[in-house]
Amino acid sequence: MLASIQWLRALCSFEEDAEQVAHALTARGLTVDAVIPSAGDTALELDIPANRPDCLGHRGVARELAAAFGRPLLPPAPAPAPGGDSIEGRVRVEIEDPVLCPRYSARVVRGVRVGPSPDWVVRRLEACGLRSVSNVVDASNLVMLELANPIHFFDLARVPGPAIVVRRARDGERLRMLDGVERKLEPEMLVIADRERAIALAGVIGGAETEIGGETRDVLIEAAYFEPSSIRRTARRLGVATDASHRFERGVDPEGVPLAQELAVKLLAELAGGTPAPGIVDVYPEPVVRPALTLRPGRIAALLGYAPAAGEIGPALEALGLQVAPASDGTLRVGIPSWRVDLTREADLVEEVARHLGYERIPSTVGASAVPLQDQPARESLSVEERARDVLAHQGFLEAFNYAMIGADEDVGFVAESARPALPLENPIAEPLSHLRRSLLPGLVRSADYNLRRGAGDVRLYEVGRVFLPRGEGEFPDERLRAGVVWSGTAAPPHWGAPSREAGLHDVAGVVELLIETLRPGLETERRAEGPSALHPGRAASWRLPSGEELAWGGALHPELRAKHDLDRDLLMAEIDLERLVAQRARPAMYRPLPRVPAVTRDLSLILGRERTFAEVRDVIRAVPCPAPVEVEVIDRYEGQPLGADRVSLTVRLTLSPQERTLRDEETEGYRTAVIEALRRDLHVGLRG
């Protein structure tokens, strides 16, 4: 919202400049995004919270400044004296649906002359981001911008009767609106009608048949209160968003209807030379009553962390227009004004006290919590998302945000074949988003494809989010937290010192294992050469826990899917089940003193069958008694001539780290011989000459 400093000064006589005003409003929760100089004025670009519709008008903002600067809020100027025949008994208003329209009022101004507005009106509207149309139309905009209560003007000569009926639209009814578009209405939409037809869409936009034109002489003024959710649904359904609907759908002041009428009459008389007709038709069958709230001083201290002085609380609330009366039990009874639709509970009143006294008075210390501590896995799951994001971001991946909805068969191949079908949505927002995802990878593949088609050379994306695994009939899905990555392009940023290479399976596997090791240090996993059917059958891997549960999987996109997406380079990906990972008990950190003697290394170049894995080799080696702590790692893998087609060479490094004394040669060689014998016996492994 744009607010004029001159307009605010006219409502609350303050002397502070624009910067001081901006600081005061920001300190009270109405953020000022920009201070914009304009011709003879200064505009403030305000970020108004959705729960403060009263501040969508200058009077509401001026009320905040009056409280901040200790100035009085000036009362509105009176309307001119009416003349001519009264409208009472002549203009009829009927509300058929008092739930959607609790209050509707009508007044008449006769003898207006439609023409251009004076310069001050044009400048004021321009400062607020609106253009001048005519003096009559501008008057309605001025009322809305000052009071946040939108009004509407009808050409009285075009309203038969004159009679106003506030009702729901009839089935198949159509209305040509002020934007020139004729739209079909639906029965749940509220309309303003005459005796036969709809002439306006209540709270959203007027109809073209009764709009103000150059020949208009008599104006029927509408000021009303409409049920906010009804206006919101209608505006969204028809795709019509107006300044009026923006305010009505947040909630206007039902008691401000007469004030809006008075200001409209005053402006029409001042700008267009009209004469107000005596009388007002105000249909208000069940007045909206705002109940008083109880405020306990002790509750203020509990929520704010400090206790304001007893003499500060009442004046703070009264400065904001609230009515405060002390009760016999030491509490305060606070009457809520009709324009503060956001004040519904005691905590809201505490916030008002904090706003007026200043947020800077709230101490920075955090008091003790009465909330019981959660168990270790639950507490850690609260931060696992951010920890996973940190790891992946530090590896050069950019975060992607994808819909939790996908196409019907989009994730087939990324989940186990035995998995239940994806859950369909009853009301999907689009056909390609008709089911809940069971994997993060389809969305990431789509995002990578989008970037690659637009010339991105290297793509590294990650997402941390939930998937929805169907359970039994009628049960809620199992919502599991996962992390997914896609990678296409070089393994490292280009550097003049070495040629670039394409990322491969071992690169994405390294990301998976880094994430597992960071979140659960020391967790034992088994890596297998297998993966979902959407991955390349010879370039896939999965990680399993000792219990056999699958923890992560990854690899290169299957050639058929790669051709389907018309990709000219590999697309690598992986997905990690963070829920399952965080549920594992972390190995406690163990202190190990630094060795006082040097380590001993021995490399074994082994010849073994292609079906054998390093995990099998490592397990056999670890089972052999060793005279010192030993680490086992792979340093080389070779296949080709002179080895047979079914054989590979695996070079394994054994690092023995004695703690107290240097190992003797016979101890080292004895251990090496025992390892070789165990490998020959259990895995039929030979040594390369």
Side-chain angles (χ1 to χ4, degrees):
M1 170 187 165
L2 292 174
S4 158
I5 289 288
Q6 282 192 359
W7 200 341
L8 293 172
R9 288 188 195 278
L11 298 172
C12 171
S13 297
F14 55 85
E15 299 176 356
E16 285 76 6
D17 60 25
E19 292 297 332
Q20 291 172 305
V21 171
H23 182 270
L25 292 175
T26 300
R28 302 178 71 81
L30 304 178
T31 305
V32 178
D33 292 330
V35 179
I36 308 169
S38 61
D41 199 354
T42 302
L44 301 177
E45 185 177 346
L46 297 174
D47 184 6
I48 305 297
N51 67 334
R52 290 299 306 273
D54 58 303
C55 290
L56 290 172
H58 281 70
R59 180 162 289 273
V61 178
R63 190 179 290 112
E64 291 288 332
L65 292 174
F69 298 144
R71 308 291 203 285
L73 184 67
L74 301 180
D85 297 332
S86 173
I87 68 169
E88 294 178 359
R90 295 175 178 269
V91 176
R92 185 172 65 86
V93 173
E94 179 184 352
I95 300 178
E96 291 187 359
D97 195 328
V99 174
L100 299 187
C101 178
R103 187 173 194 178
Y104 191 98
S105 70
R107 287 195 69 175
V108 171
V109 175
R110 297 190 175 96
V112 302
R113 292 291 183 270
V114 179
S117 292
D119 290 343
W120 71 268
V121 173
V122 175
R123 289 194 301 270
R124 181 162 289 185
L125 290 174
E126 287 177 348
C128 297
L130 298 180
R131 64 179 181 85
S132 174
V133 178
S134 69
N135 52 2
V136 176
V137 175
D138 292 351
S140 68
N141 284 330
L142 290 174
V143 173
M144 177 186 69
L145 291 174
E146 178 165 327
L147 302 178
N149 276 62
I151 62 171
H152 185 68
F153 291 159
F154 297 98
D155 187 334
L156 184 64
R158 299 184 179 185
V159 181
I164 294 292
V165 181
V166 187
R167 59 171 173 80
R168 292 176 183 261
R170 299 190 179 104
D171 192 19
E173 191 169 17
R174 306 184 72 86
L175 173 65
R176 187 163 65 89
M177 302 177 185
L178 287 176
D179 58 3
V181 179
E182 183 178 82
R183 294 179 174 87
K184 183 180 178 181
L185 307 180
E186 298 177 3
E188 68 271 11
M189 297 177 180
L190 191 69
V191 299
I192 311 302
D194 57 24
R195 289 172 175 171
E196 299 177 354
R197 55 179 181 161
I199 58 176
L201 193 59
V204 181
I205 191 172
E209 298 298 326
T210 56
E211 70 175 317
I212 302 298
E215 71 286 355
T216 300
R217 293 295 175 264
D218 300 332
V219 175
L220 174 66
I221 306 172
E222 167 197 282
Y225 172 69
F226 302 114
E227 201 276 322
S229 61
S230 169
I231 304 303
R232 186 181 305 112
R233 285 193 301 268
T234 298
R236 301 297 188 276
R237 188 71 173 173
L238 294 179
V240 180
T242 62
D243 290 328
S245 68
H246 181 75
R247 288 163 172 81
F248 274 122
E249 68 185 25
R250 283 160 176 77
V252 303
D253 179 8
E255 301 302 322
V257 168
L259 184 60
Q261 286 282 12
E262 284 292 304
L263 183 57
V265 167
K266 174 182 177 295
L267 289 172
L268 283 178
E270 180 181 347
L271 302 180
T275 301
I280 180 173
V281 179
D282 188 3
V283 181
Y284 197 11
E286 294 186 15
V288 178
V289 178
R290 298 297 306 279
L293 299 177
T294 299
L295 179 60
R296 297 165 292 173
R299 188 60 177 161
I300 298 177
L303 292 180
L304 298 186
Y306 77 98
E312 292 181 307
I313 300 173
L317 296 173
E318 290 170 345
L320 297 167
L322 282 67
Q323 294 144 6
V324 182
S328 58
D329 58 356
T331 63
L332 299 176
R333 294 291 290 171
V334 182
I336 308 301
S338 57
W339 62 81
R340 289 302 302 271
V341 298
D342 59 314
L343 302 182
T344 60
R345 54 181 182 162
E346 185 182 28
D348 297 331
L349 299 179
V350 176
E351 182 180 7
E352 292 302 293
V353 173
R355 286 200 316 120
H356 187 70
L357 297 182
Y359 290 125
E360 68 278 1
R361 291 181 59 176
I362 299 176
S364 59
T365 57
V366 179
S369 173
V371 179
L373 294 176
Q374 298 171 301
D375 57 19
Q376 182 74 9
R379 289 204 310 275
E380 293 191 357
S381 68
L382 297 177
S383 62
V384 67
E385 296 181 48
E386 289 306 318
R387 294 166 65 196
R389 287 187 174 97
D390 286 345
V391 171
L392 296 173
H394 280 85
Q395 294 303 306
F397 289 82
L398 300 178
E399 187 167 13
F401 294 92
N402 292 301
Y403 284 118
M405 300 86 74
I406 59 175
D409 299 322
E410 194 174 355
D411 62 358
V412 172
F414 292 98
V415 297
E417 295 182 2
S418 59
R420 295 176 183 268
L423 290 168
L425 299 174
E426 288 188 3
N427 297 298
I429 59 176
E431 185 177 350
L433 303 172
S434 59
H435 288 67
L436 290 174
R437 66 186 179 188
R438 296 174 294 173
S439 169
L440 301 179
L441 295 181
L444 286 169
V445 169
R446 197 186 318 113
S447 297
D449 182 42
Y450 181 90
N451 284 272
L452 291 170
R453 288 179 183 275
R454 283 155 181 79
D458 296 322
V459 174
R460 292 192 192 188
L461 300 175
Y462 80 88
E463 182 176 6
V464 177
R466 296 197 175 272
V467 299
F468 304 85
L469 306 180
R471 291 176 172 163
E473 186 69 26
E475 294 185 73
F476 286 107
D478 180 13
E479 299 184 28
R480 301 194 67 82
L481 182 66
R482 290 185 181 174
V485 299
V486 290
W487 189 349
S488 180
T490 57
H495 190 270
W496 59 268
S500 298
R501 68 172 180 85
E502 291 289 304
L505 173 61
H506 296 294
D507 295 299
V508 75
V511 173
V512 172
E513 292 172 358
L514 174 64
L515 188 58
I516 293 173
E517 178 63 23
T518 302
L519 298 180
R520 279 295 178 265
L523 180 66
E524 291 285 346
T525 60
E526 179 186 357
R527 180 170 155 187
R528 300 181 181 179
E530 59 187 21
S533 60
L535 301 182
H536 194 298
R539 301 171 61 197
S542 68
W543 288 259
R544 293 182 179 272
L545 297 169
S547 63
E549 294 178 294
E550 195 170 35
L551 182 64
W553 48 94
L557 187 65
H558 195 284
E560 293 180 1
L561 292 177
R562 177 176 161 181
K564 178 181 177 182
H565 288 278
D566 196 24
L567 298 175
D568 59 358
R569 61 197 311 180
D570 272 341
L571 185 61
L572 300 154
M573 63 201 67
E575 188 166 5
I576 304 97
D577 191 330
L578 297 180
E579 292 272 357
R580 187 165 287 164
L581 177 60
V582 79
Q584 306 304 308
R585 183 178 296 277
R587 185 176 66 180
M590 301 295 291
Y591 168 73
R592 178 184 295 177
L594 292 175
R596 294 186 293 178
V597 295
V600 178
T601 60
R602 291 292 185 268
D603 292 346
L604 303 178
S605 293
L606 309 175
I607 306 293
L608 63 161
R610 295 179 64 92
E611 75 281 358
R612 294 298 183 187
T613 65
F614 168 68
E616 294 175 304
V617 173
R618 179 192 59 197
D619 291 343
V620 170
I621 295 175
R622 286 179 175 176
V624 176
C626 182
V630 62
E631 294 291 336
V632 186
E633 60 181 330
V634 176
I635 62 172
D636 186 43
R637 184 180 187 275
Y638 173 78
E639 56 183 275
Q641 296 299 325
L643 302 176
D646 60 342
R647 310 293 284 176
V648 296
S649 173
L650 198 68
T651 301
V652 177
R653 175 164 292 169
L654 309 178
T655 303
L656 285 72
S657 302
Q659 299 294 314
E660 300 295 335
R661 63 176 180 83
T662 303
L663 295 177
R664 299 190 302 272
D665 288 343
E666 55 268 24
E667 290 178 301
T668 304
E669 287 304 313
Y671 173 70
R672 176 178 178 275
T673 301
V675 167
I676 295 172
E677 288 298 325
L679 290 172
R680 283 174 174 165
R681 179 183 67 249
D682 296 343
L683 301 179
H684 306 290
V685 171
L687 284 181
R688 194 173 72 188

